[in-house]
Amino acid sequence: MTDAEASSCPLCGSTLHAHFHSDRRRDYRRCQTCHLVFVPPPYHLTAAREKAEYDLHHNDPHDPGYRAFLGRLCEPLTACLTSNSRGLDFGCGPGPALALMLRQAGHDVSVYDPFYAADERVFADRYHFITATEVVEHLARPGAELERLWRCLLPGGWLGVMTKLVRDREAFANWHYKNDPTHIGFYSRQTFTWLARQWQTDMRFIGDDVMLVQKPH
Ligand SMILES: [Zn+2]
């Protein structure tokens, strides 16, 4: 058995997963339980190389194009919130643009990022909402990380996720999104539906790449 075959699904822990795709750099496997497509750990970048990749992508919080991109999550999320809600932007990156937009909408927002804002005390608090935009595809342990975020939500609180979704094997083969060496987990609608079922709630799909889920009261 190879290392790739021996690893368990990083989202649900299942050992039932099969080869999904290979390109010139990596193998990709798909979990039969939660349908996550994941890159096995032997292909993951070191933390130093991962950060070097992120340092190349400075998004300007004031760039209108980038704000419109984040608006796809920000607008439907803020429509669910009451004024002066308290939130956490998980994986904010070097320029916390979404936190800025949510603060401008009247909310109190903390930020966390393992490379740029690594203050773990944020996880001791409870929030009305948590956002993770273009984050979950980078997580080596998405199951544990998403469970931690879910625990940090108040009853009735909202989790908003933005990530591009896997459609099928053919589309995956030609997908630029998989070529980013920091992208190691690829989710589909089935994956988010599985996750919502675990949490005993419903997943709302908004457009092509935004998911909103409310923690039961
Ligand atoms: Zn799985």
Side-chain angles (χ1 to χ4, degrees), residues 9 11-14 31 33-36:
C9 170
L11 180 58
C12 76
S14 172
C31 176
T33 301
C34 72
H35 304 278
L36 183 76

Side-chain angles (χ1 to χ4, degrees), residues 83-182:
S83 54
N84 298 311
S85 289
R86 194 169 70 249
L88 172 67
D89 184 27
F90 175 76
C92 59
L98 181 60
L100 184 68
M101 290 166 68
L102 289 162
R103 285 174 192 142
Q104 287 168 342
H107 305 295
D108 178 23
V109 187
S110 301
V111 296
Y112 176 81
D113 189 284
F115 295 110
Y116 302 102
D119 186 347
E120 302 266 336
R121 286 175 298 183
V122 297
F123 299 112
D125 214 338
R126 294 292 173 271
Y127 301 94
H128 300 107
F129 66 92
I130 297 176
T131 53
T133 56
E134 299 286 314
V135 169
V136 294
E137 64 275 14
H138 300 284
L139 299 175
R141 299 171 62 241
E145 299 277 16
L146 288 167
E147 274 306 318
R148 177 164 68 166
L149 296 183
W150 196 245
R151 283 197 301 274
C152 288
L153 275 180
L154 291 160
W158 290 89
L159 174 64
V161 175
M162 185 190 274
T163 188
K164 300 265 185 287
L165 299 180
V166 176
R167 288 193 198 150
D168 54 41
R169 200 188 296 263
E170 277 189 350
F172 190 87
N174 297 305
W175 201 23
H176 69 91
Y177 204 63
K178 76 165 167 57
N179 298 334
D180 183 324
T182 66

Side-chain angles (χ1 to χ4, degrees), residues 5-94:
E5 289 162 343
S7 53
S8 54
C9 170
L11 180 58
C12 76
S14 172
T15 52
L16 295 175
H17 47 80
H19 176 265
F20 183 68
H21 183 74
S22 295
D23 59 24
R24 61 187 173 80
R25 284 186 299 128
R26 309 189 294 187
D27 289 336
Y28 304 82
R29 300 188 68 81
R30 183 164 61 180
C31 176
Q32 292 173 28
T33 301
C34 72
H35 304 278
L36 183 76
V37 175
F38 63 94
V39 173
Y43 300 106
H44 294 186
L45 299 182
T46 62
R49 280 200 57 205
E50 189 183 359
K51 181 170 185 296
E53 289 285 332
Y54 300 144
D55 287 341
L56 297 174
H57 302 285
H58 268 285
N59 291 307
D60 177 2
H62 303 287
D63 171 44
Y66 189 53
R67 289 173 68 92
F69 171 75
L70 294 174
R72 299 211 305 267
L73 172 76
C74 191
E75 283 168 24
L77 173 65
T78 51
C80 298
L81 303 176
T82 54
S83 54
N84 298 311
S85 289
R86 194 169 70 249
L88 172 67
D89 184 27
F90 175 76
C92 59

